[in-house]
Amino acid sequence: MKAFNDLADFSNEEIASLIALADRLDKNPEPEALKGKVLSLLFLSPSLRTLASFQAAMTRLGGGSFVISPEMSIHGIESRPGIVMDGAAAEHIREAIPVIASYGDAIGIRAFAERKSLEADMQEKEFRALTDLVDTPYINMESAMNHPCQSLADWKTMNDLSVPANGGKFVLSWAYHPRPLPLAVPTATLHMAAKRGMDVTVLRPEGFELPEALMQKAAAAAEASGGSVRETAQRTEAMEGAHIIYAKSWSSTRHYGDKLADEKLREQHIDWCVDEPWFANAKDECRFMHCLPVRRGVVVADEILDGPRSVVIPEARNRMLAQMAVLHQMLGN
Ligand code: CP
């Protein structure tokens, strides 16, 4: 495996095989599988789970890892092309990334969306510029429009819960958050559930529609797997018979890159906080998923997060297991 960048690059059989490997490594540890291997981890954006789970995954497989992030005591990093570096930054990303990559056998890179231009973010311009600088295998640890490690873990979490693929009803719901957040998780989650063959409903207020090209990509994946994709602003209709509600906040696509206009619109939807009444016409066993971190009392009520519907902790643990499977395939003999 040369890259783990998008679940769309893998067939459903290959994904099933990765998940089977994750299950096997959980039950039968292989503490020497990646002995002597090193994973470089470059975090240009913050993290708790991704950072900790990749380090834990490498250690459990007998390898090692190191982390570089701008918050550490490193030289200031410049990323603009063609810049005259007479300011504070002493190092350019064009040297920093190949050097970091050269110390490892593979590299994981996290770089959130710039959120200035929807078009540029959808083309993954920044992330591509970074991965073009490395010649080792690489892992997307969250880019502008993707989070494949989260999606693989989420797919596994639904398998663990015996949530049906075909016939399973998946609601991806926008939730209120005081700040505009990237589209990476909702985009990746939409595609993952569609590719799994589920009937996916994107529940969101007007102005928060997911980009048409991404809806079409998900619809094509759903069609190939026997599922479906649709969008609505009607909560009761969306939640009818739902097996899963996956909550996430994201930026207004109508006002992408315009913080003030986005804020003005989102403030009208402060009541989009997932709570028990949302589940009135869902399946009794309907579960709550979220990639974390999550704001309590803002995105979701404590009652849900602390109650039997929530699977956020096993979901987060599955990040480590899913990534162990990816690393095993990428770096194992
Ligand atoms: N879900 C997720 O990627 O968490 P972190 O941002 O903490 O890594």
Side-chain angles (χ1 to χ4, degrees), residues 46-50 110 147 150 291-293 319:
S47 170
L48 185 155
R49 277 141 293 274
T50 307
R110 167 170 280 202
H147 198 351
Q150 184 67 50
C291 63
L292 303 181
R319 288 292 307 278

